[in-house]
């Protein structure tokens, strides 16, 4: 007499929804962590908007600097902070406390937590960007991007690149503190080389060129091109795509569940 095969249980859609909602509640309880994705973008818009000149600038396609430079910078920054700093700290905490290890012996694979955290982080990024754009529009009459569909596509590509880098940070970080430290180093390196602290023309030529193709610089430039209507540079789109793929593959190979 042969024993009947026991069917393998797999979490259904309801389990995925519950897990994502649970992740969202855990993130929402960390009120200090919500300041970065939700409060910081609005603060940047207000600070720059109050001191900006609304006169059109030829190098920005006839748009004011607030529209063509500050807004793309803010969008790229909030996605980078959430993806490279915030998200890895949660994943490192789950590994340190044994949550991922315990999930590995249940039908709910630990990868579900990673997916849920990415979804929640993406919602944070989108919420922060929408709040910043609403403030910019209502308070300073910032215009919409002239290539709106391209801007949405670039935003998704920036998110894919930054979250892949964030997964890689989580993969190589043994503790929560180390994940925050590594994430901040990576973020500020991207930010500085991408022109976050001023124009890249102030950097040595080779650093300025490298910064234009790192995720922050490439994303900011591509979004700026969508605002002016000139269209993003193909090389920077390729750079974002390559970053997303390579960092994603590396994180998958290096990630430890315990």
């Amino acid at each position: 007499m042969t024993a009947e095969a026991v069917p393998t249980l797999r979490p259904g859609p309801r389990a995925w929804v519950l897990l994502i909602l649970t992740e969202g509640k855990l993130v929402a309880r960390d009120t200090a962590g919500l300041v970065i994705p939700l409060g910081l973008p609005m603060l940047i818009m207000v600070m720059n908007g109050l001191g900006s000149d609304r006169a059109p600038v030829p190098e920005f396609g006839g748009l004011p600097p607030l529209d063509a430079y500050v807004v793309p910078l803010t969008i790229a920054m909030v996605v980078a902070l959430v993806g490279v700093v915030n998200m890895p700290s949660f994943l490192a905490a789950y590994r340190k406390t044994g949550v991922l290890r315990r999930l590995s012996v249940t039908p709910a694979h630990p990868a579900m937590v990673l997916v849920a955290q990415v979804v929640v982080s993406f919602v944070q990024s989108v919420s922060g960007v929408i709040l910043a754009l609403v403030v910019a529009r209502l308070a300073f009459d910032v215009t919409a991007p002239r290539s709106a569909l391209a801007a949405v596509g670039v935003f998704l590509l920036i998110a894919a690149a930054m979250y892949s880098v964030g997964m890689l940070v989580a993969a190589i970080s043994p503790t929560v503190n180390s994940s925050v430290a590594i994430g901040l180093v990576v973020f500020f390196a991207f930010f500085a080389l991408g022109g976050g602290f001023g124009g890249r023309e102030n950097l040595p030529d080779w650093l300025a060129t490298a910064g234009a193709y790192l995720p922050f610089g490439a994303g900011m430039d591509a979004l700026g091109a969508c605002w002016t209507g000139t269209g993003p540079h193909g090389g920077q789109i390729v750079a974002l795509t390559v970053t997303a793929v390579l960092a994603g593959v590396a994180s998958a190979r290096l990630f430890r569940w315990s």
Side-chain angles (χ1 to χ4, degrees):
M1 181 177 179
T2 58
E4 293 184 2
V6 178
T8 303
L9 297 177
R10 289 288 183 268
R14 184 173 181 274
W16 281 95
V17 172
L18 289 176
L19 182 58
I20 292 171
L21 291 176
T22 301
E23 284 294 311
K25 291 178 182 178
L26 292 174
V27 171
R29 288 173 184 171
D30 181 22
T31 53
L34 293 178
V35 171
I36 289 178
L38 301 182
L40 186 59
M42 291 190 292
L43 178 62
I44 293 174
M45 285 292 102
V46 172
M47 291 177 62
N48 284 278
L50 291 175
S52 67
D53 184 358
R54 295 298 295 161
V57 177
E59 65 180 288
F60 291 139
L63 293 176
L66 184 66
D67 302 46
Y69 183 81
V70 176
V71 170
L73 182 148
T74 304
I75 293 174
M77 185 186 67
V78 66
V79 177
L81 280 170
V82 174
V84 178
V85 181
N86 278 18
M87 185 180 70
S89 66
F90 277 94
L91 298 180
Y94 291 158
R95 182 170 57 222
K96 184 69 175 179
T97 55
V99 172
L100 299 181
R101 184 181 66 252
R102 289 192 290 271
L103 279 175
S104 64
V105 297
T106 71
H109 193 275
M112 290 180 65
V113 175
L114 306 187
V115 174
Q117 186 59 227
V118 169
V119 172
V120 172
S121 296
F122 182 72
V123 171
Q124 290 182 74
S125 298
V126 172
S127 300
V129 168
I130 290 175
L131 289 173
L133 291 178
V134 168
V135 169
R137 176 62 180 174
L138 295 180
F140 308 110
D141 198 28
V142 168
T143 59
R146 292 171 178 170
S147 302
L149 290 179
V152 172
V154 169
F155 175 79
L156 294 176
L157 197 53
I158 296 172
M162 293 299 184
Y163 292 160
S164 294
V165 172
M167 282 292 183
L168 184 56
V169 170
I172 63 177
S173 302
T175 64
V176 178
N177 289 339
S178 64
S179 74
V180 174
I182 295 172
L184 285 173
V185 169
V186 172
F187 167 76
F188 281 115
F190 285 170
F191 192 73
L193 295 176
F197 293 118
R200 287 194 299 269
E201 63 272 9
N202 298 321
L203 298 172
D205 290 344
W206 67 275
L207 275 180
T209 301
Y213 292 94
L214 290 174
F216 187 89
M220 187 179 72
D221 287 355
L223 282 175
C226 293
W227 245 267
T228 60
T230 58
H233 187 272
Q236 293 177 320
I237 297 298
V238 171
L240 288 169
T241 304
V242 170
T243 299
V245 173
L246 292 183
V249 171
S251 63
R253 292 181 64 88
L254 297 175
F255 201 93
R256 296 174 293 106
W257 303 113
S258 61

